[in-house]
Amino acid sequence: QVQLVESGGGLVQAGGSLRLSCAASGRTFRISAVDWFRQAPGKEREVVAAISWSGSSTYYADSVKGRFTISRDNAKNTVYLQMNSLKPEDTAVYYCAANTNLGALVVTTGGMDYWGKGTLVTVSS
């Protein structure tokens, strides 16, 4: 089993920044990639960014390209999501998720094997 715990959410004004953390524990050797998803009220959960556990591959949704950066610190078993130039439409619960499938990055909710409980990000206008 793999456990994921998110932190770093909060309230920020538009244009501000936040850094989310996803700490992994347990059988972390099984992780092949970690994704960040978000879910706004009344909307479906969507992928925001993904990174391979080696760090060699990354993915960003078009809506966050140039504003968000995903990174990882394998020594700490932690993946980060640096969010800059935040907009009110970025308001959502942010979840990290891990999958154990080798190969290309998986960016669908159904492809993830483990999920954290989420952290709320609220961007005020």
Side-chain angles (χ1 to χ4, degrees):
Q1 292 287 351
V2 173
Q3 295 79 41
L4 302 171
V5 179
E6 303 95 335
S7 61
L11 174 64
V12 64
Q13 288 188 331
S17 298
L18 281 175
R19 188 177 79 158
L20 305 183
S21 299
C22 173
S25 61
R27 307 183 80 176
T28 57
F29 63 87
R30 299 190 62 201
I31 297 174
S32 59
V34 173
D35 293 22
W36 283 98
F37 289 80
R38 66 185 180 187
Q39 188 166 19
K43 295 188 176 181
E44 292 188 353
R45 194 170 297 190
E46 63 177 4
V47 68
V48 175
I51 188 167
S52 60
W53 200 237
S54 67
S56 60
S57 299
T58 58
Y59 167 88
Y60 294 95
D62 287 343
S63 59
V64 306
K65 281 181 181 177
R67 300 189 298 124
F68 291 11
T69 302
I70 191 169
S71 62
R72 92 278 180 265
D73 183 337
N74 283 8
K76 296 182 178 180
N77 288 330
T78 300
V79 172
Y80 303 99
L81 185 67
Q82 177 67 43
M83 306 186 295
N84 299 327
S85 302
L86 283 161
K87 305 175 181 179
E89 51 264 43
D90 294 318
T91 294
V93 177
Y94 283 71
Y95 301 88
C96 69
N99 76 71
T100 60
N101 299 317
L102 298 177
L105 290 176
V106 175
V107 296
T108 58
T109 56
M112 310 311 291
D113 299 305
Y114 302 98
W115 289 87
K117 295 184 182 299
T119 185
L120 177 63
V121 172
T122 304
V123 184
S124 63
S125 57

